[in-house]
Amino acid sequence: MSGDQAGKLKELERNYEHVIDANCAVFSRYFREVLESGDGGKAVNPPPVVVEKRGRVDAMEEEEQEEEEEITEDRTVESEEIGFHHGRYNPIWAEGDRSVEYYSIGGSSSSNPPSYPQRVSATSLATVVTLKIQKRPPPAIRSMPFPPPPPTSTSDSEASSSLSEQDGSAAGSSSEPEERNRSMALFEPRKDHPQQQRQSIPAEPSCTPGRLMEEFEKPPGGGQHTPPKDFVCPITSNLFDDPVTLETGQTYERRAIQEWLDRGNLTCPITRQKLQSTQLPKTNYVLKRLIVSWQEQNPSAVLDKSLNYSPEITPIAKPMMHSTSPNSVICQASLDGTVSELRRNINKLCMSEILEESEMAVLRIKQFWQEASLQIKIVNMLSKPPVINGFVEILFNSVDTRVLRATVLLLCELGSREKSVVHTLTQVDSDVDGIVALLKKGLLEAIVLIYLLRPSVISLIEMDIIDSLLAVIKKSPDELMSMCLKPRTAAVLLLRQILGGCQENMAAAMTSRVVSAGIIDSIIGSLEAEWSEERMAAVAVLSKCMQEDGKCRNMIADKAELAPVLESFIGAADAERFEIIRFLSELVRLNRRTFNEQVLHIIKDEGGFSTMHTFLNYLQTALQDQCPVIAGLLLQLDLLAEPRKMSIYREEAIDTLISCLKNTDFPAAQLAAAETIMSLQGRFSVSGKPLTRAFLLKHAGLEKRYRTVMRMEHLGNSNVEFEESRREEEKAADDWERRVAYALVSHEFGLVFEALAEGLKSRDADLRSSCFVSAAWLAHMLGILPDTGIRGAARVCLLKLFLQIFKSTKDVEDKALSMLALNSFIQDAEGLRDLAPSMKDVLKGLRELKKHSPFAFEMLKVLSEGSESSADLWNHKDLVQVDCSHNGEVLSIVCYKDIIFSGHSDGTIKVWTGRGSILHQVQEVREHTKAVTSLVVSQSGEELYSGSLDKTAKVWSIGDDALHCAQVHDMRDQVHNLVVANSIACFIPQGAGVKVHSWNGGSKLLNPNKHIKCLSLVQGKLYCGCHDSSIQEIDLTSGTLNTIQSGSRKLLSKGNPIHALQLHSGLIYSASSSLDGAAVKIWNASNYELVGTLPSTADVRAIAVSSDLVYLGCKGGMVEVWCKEKHQRVDTLQSGTNAKIHCMALNGDEEFLAIGTSDGRIQAWGLS
């Protein structure tokens, strides 16, 4: 066969296919009318048949090339209008927007037409196409979104006359009647008749704005990059998404063939063979991969699956017979009516000036959208700018919630399919502002539309929609409409965009609002979303929440499903991968070690891939600033088991941390590496902050500071369950700490110490601080771990640096941490040798630290070769002496912080400050008329109590500027020695016994048979030193009296009174005469046993006790200093006078000692 013959044959085949399609269309229309008639089709005339014959096919070759191109274009347009695509007609799935008309050629129809429709020949169809070309008017410019439906006719003669009139009506037609007819036709209901014809539309001026509508009505991308027919479903005419191949060898879209079977059909739609099984097979993955490959090779092709492609199906008889089934005809007829009705409602929406009419049109359009199987052409109908503007007008004018929600739904559905819709909405800023206003007023579904508009971060922040976002997320999904995108999904995506794009302080404030709104649960649910972008948004938001308010960390760790997050890691971009790593790193900062390890096991074992191997690959390609966080997480996963001799994951992670710590070109990476090493210790607060520093302070002996930190971190939490499992948690934390420390210090024989030493020399304060804590922790762990020679490497790198910090810092905590690190080094002879040149400075620093930390005293003993004497540990520096002799004797003195209060025999109270080497008097008051015998400062430090021989006790308010007398109490007896506790006061009266006075006014006398010389009150127990040298304890709660030391009566000599009593650390220190060789006796307060004496021969009149020393104020003006532990005198302080020392006091921090003498002098010594 020659080439020309083959071409003619192909042309003949194409014409034949059109003939077949035309006959199918005529028959389907006739059958529809038969079904709609009530009499079984008796009154319905058969349709006219196009029967003109054409001689040879060769005649078509004589036409001009230009006319052939026009015919081909018109054929494509007309076939699209009635459901023809690529030469085939599908009456079940085609969704054309109007029916097609065929005309009799060569005169009117026969008087006795056949009772069945005749086939239309190829020649006849070509003639019809030619006539259509001849009757097509110039391009019409429409003032409405769509032209009105064509008016109906009743006979073929009217059709013929219409054609003939059109040939010559261009010049003589009037525009006004035509326009009126068009307007009337818009609102007329459509009528179906056996024969229909089109009424020609006269030409209109080409300058009207309707030309834009014609451009939008053309389907995008038509005819370009048409996919192979094997890639297109013969039912839906769409690219295959889920192809399934039946037993007949035919392939269909799963959704389409399932619907075919659901209708009760048991045959293959194309071959008509009966199917043995109606259960669909698995997806044809080979074909699906071929389609994906074709899409990659044709990136400019139209890949929207909503576009309709109709392949050329091999014509066989059975499909043609099926296409004329009643079900097919009814479906096509219903679709024609739906499209026409849809057009009328669109025109009402765009043209009606009555709001209610437009609102009803919106509701009807929504109903059409939800009920119809919409194709791309209907999407195009609704996506044109005039229609979108009509929807926007409804949004801004309607107050009906149903209408507003329907409008938002339609705009969202259209915007998700057509970018032109989004472009139309964003052209006018006021449109976007209006949508935002609706969202703030409670139309929560509008959040989806805002998301589809893709506003910038700045625009989102200016919108101030954070409260609306939280409201959408908090709302139950069942309370919102089902849309193309879930409102909660859109809200989470926008929330991530806002938190990630605003300034740090603003992001912190917004994150706090997110946490306080109680929507963490809802965001956690998004981690399991099908859409990976929503999962990533949830990961980013939850990371922000944990960083800002770590108290939500436990909830997230308890409820989050990590498997979907880990699955997202594989296909995520680098930025999203790091977001996942940061989220997981934050998640393992729980305040319970056992919980942390459970989460780490989940991360390690969940997912369908090796988590550690994937993280390792990512670590090797990640940015420098991201590497420390990835390495820290990878190292924790590796250390879930006991460290092995060799682990590629551990080696790579530690190498990365060390290299980042030493790389000064990336300061952020340096700081991140130091903080990561510090946090690897494994203990965290409720808020997720590392407790490494706090635990080191506890080891260094600063218990008070550690308890303060822990109390602040656990404030507001119920620790009942935590306390029950505290031992288990501590054991788990200790085991983890040893594992991590061993892995770090043994890597490359202590290479980490070299990196930390370089960090300690940095000028960056944050980096220096993190390296200091990390180095102190690892140095401390060297004393716990078995020594493998690494301690020497650490000493070479860190000893001098820790020594420098210990000598120079004034911060007590830093000094304590340095001491803790140095303690690890002095366990070796080499360490002591290296420390020897600076031993004097070390001892001095330890003496200063000793009053804060018992650990410092232990180090002092070690460095003093086991000596337990305090003689070399304390220095007393004479600060100042003040002469107040004009006020008489100094009978009482008390210290509070750096303030000294003194009471004098003339009734004066003086206030002094002890800053520096000079004692400054800041106030003097004289409201007592007789001697002030006692001064007591309350435990809170806010009040001062004074007792006097004028039978009164006064309560003074201690302010920043001066003392103010707040209360005066009549004690009805002279007050010789006053002690105060809560709501009572005890004092020694003029006679026997001791009086207990309530501040409410009542009083009673206790121990009336004894003459009391001195008092001391501790924890509700009153200790009395009597004139007969007895010591008694009175329980103020029960009134029970116990004798600690029995008294003795002297008939021929003077009595031996107890001059002073002091209680400290469960011991009672009593001072009396030294006749028996010991002026001071020491008793156990719990069992009243004598535990020791201070063999002083002086006449002791006052006692002050510190943590290590006992100060004895003597009658001759001396102050003896005794070691409390060894009971040995270590020093003697000279007051410079021979007067009797009446009173003495230490301040709370044991920084200075103050005394008052009988000759009116006040003297102070500094303690160090």
Side-chain angles (χ1 to χ4, degrees), residues 273-284:
Q273 296 179 16
K274 186 175 181 179
L275 300 175
Q276 298 298 323
S277 173
T278 58
Q279 184 176 0
L280 296 180
K282 293 183 179 180
T283 301
N284 188 337

Side-chain angles (χ1 to χ4, degrees), residues 349 362 365 387-395 407 410-411 414:
L349 170 66
V362 170
I365 293 172
V387 182
I388 300 303
N389 291 333
F391 284 134
V392 173
E393 289 298 322
I394 291 294
L395 282 181
T407 306
L410 290 169
L411 287 175
L414 295 170

Side-chain angles (χ1 to χ4, degrees), residues 916-1032:
S917 59
I918 301 176
L919 207 60
H920 299 276
Q921 179 180 322
V922 295
Q923 188 181 4
E924 178 179 338
V925 293
R926 186 176 181 180
E927 297 191 13
H928 285 289
T929 58
K930 292 186 178 181
V932 178
T933 59
S934 305
L935 292 174
V936 181
V937 176
S938 66
Q939 292 183 351
S940 64
E942 298 176 353
E943 296 172 328
L944 174 71
Y945 300 89
S946 63
S948 172
L949 298 179
D950 63 1
K951 301 182 181 180
T952 63
K954 297 181 184 292
V955 182
W956 305 81
S957 175
I958 302 176
D960 294 334
D961 51 352
L963 280 178
H964 301 282
C965 184
Q967 299 176 12
V968 178
H969 296 273
D970 184 5
M971 311 302 284
R972 299 179 183 178
D973 208 336
Q974 292 182 348
V975 179
H976 285 278
N977 194 338
L978 178 71
V979 290
V980 178
N982 299 327
S983 60
I984 63 171
C986 303
F987 65 93
I988 301 173
Q990 181 65 26
V994 57
K995 279 193 174 182
V996 179
H997 178 82
S998 172
W999 296 123
N1000 297 327
S1003 64
K1004 61 180 178 179
L1005 183 66
L1006 299 178
N1007 202 10
N1009 298 323
K1010 293 285 186 178
H1011 287 271
I1012 313 300
K1013 178 66 174 178
C1014 56
L1015 294 175
S1016 182
L1017 180 62
V1018 177
Q1019 296 180 352
K1021 294 183 178 181
L1022 183 65
Y1023 297 88
C1024 306
C1026 304
H1027 278 275
D1028 62 355
S1029 74
S1030 64
I1031 302 174
Q1032 294 180 325

Side-chain angles (χ1 to χ4, degrees), residues 556-658:
I556 298 172
D558 183 48
K559 297 183 178 181
E561 287 291 337
L562 298 183
V565 178
L566 294 171
E567 293 293 340
S568 300
F569 189 86
I570 295 296
D574 286 344
E576 293 176 339
R577 286 187 172 190
F578 183 67
E579 198 71 62
I580 294 175
I581 293 290
R582 185 161 53 187
F583 169 72
L584 298 176
S585 299
E586 287 290 334
L587 209 57
V588 293
R589 287 172 167 253
L590 302 172
N591 63 328
R592 297 185 63 171
R593 186 65 241 167
T594 54
F595 287 0
N596 274 329
E597 295 190 17
Q598 289 176 13
V599 176
L600 285 169
H601 275 293
I602 293 173
I603 296 173
K604 184 177 181 180
D605 300 333
E606 288 284 349
F609 57 90
S610 172
T611 303
M612 295 179 62
H613 185 70
T614 305
F615 287 177
L616 177 62
N617 291 337
Y618 177 49
L619 174 64
Q620 294 170 345
T621 60
L623 298 176
Q624 187 77 8
D625 292 348
Q626 300 172 351
C627 286
V629 181
I630 306 170
L633 182 59
L634 182 61
L635 181 59
Q636 292 181 73
L637 294 174
D638 181 76
L639 292 177
L640 283 175
E642 286 293 334
R644 300 178 297 276
K645 291 184 178 180
M646 180 61 184
S647 169
I648 185 174
Y649 304 111
R650 184 173 69 247
E651 298 295 322
E652 187 72 22
I654 298 178
D655 273 339
T656 300
L657 290 173
I658 293 175

Side-chain angles (χ1 to χ4, degrees), residues 746-785:
S746 61
H747 179 76
E748 297 290 339
F749 202 72
L751 187 62
V752 67
F753 294 114
E754 180 181 339
L756 290 172
E758 294 181 13
L760 283 171
K761 301 173 185 177
S762 172
R763 295 182 180 180
D764 187 306
D766 293 334
L767 176 60
R768 199 165 57 245
S769 175
S770 297
C771 288
F772 173 62
V773 175
S774 300
W777 166 52
L778 293 178
H780 167 65
M781 292 303 297
L782 289 176
I784 299 175
L785 298 171

Side-chain angles (χ1 to χ4, degrees), residues 640-683:
L640 283 175
E642 286 293 334
R644 300 178 297 276
K645 291 184 178 180
M646 180 61 184
S647 169
I648 185 174
Y649 304 111
R650 184 173 69 247
E651 298 295 322
E652 187 72 22
I654 298 178
D655 273 339
T656 300
L657 290 173
I658 293 175
S659 63
C660 289
L661 190 58
K662 298 173 70 173
N663 193 344
T664 57
D665 294 334
F666 295 90
Q670 277 187 291
L671 180 58
E675 292 177 344
T676 299
I677 294 174
M678 182 176 66
S679 67
L680 286 173
Q681 191 253 3
R683 291 181 173 90

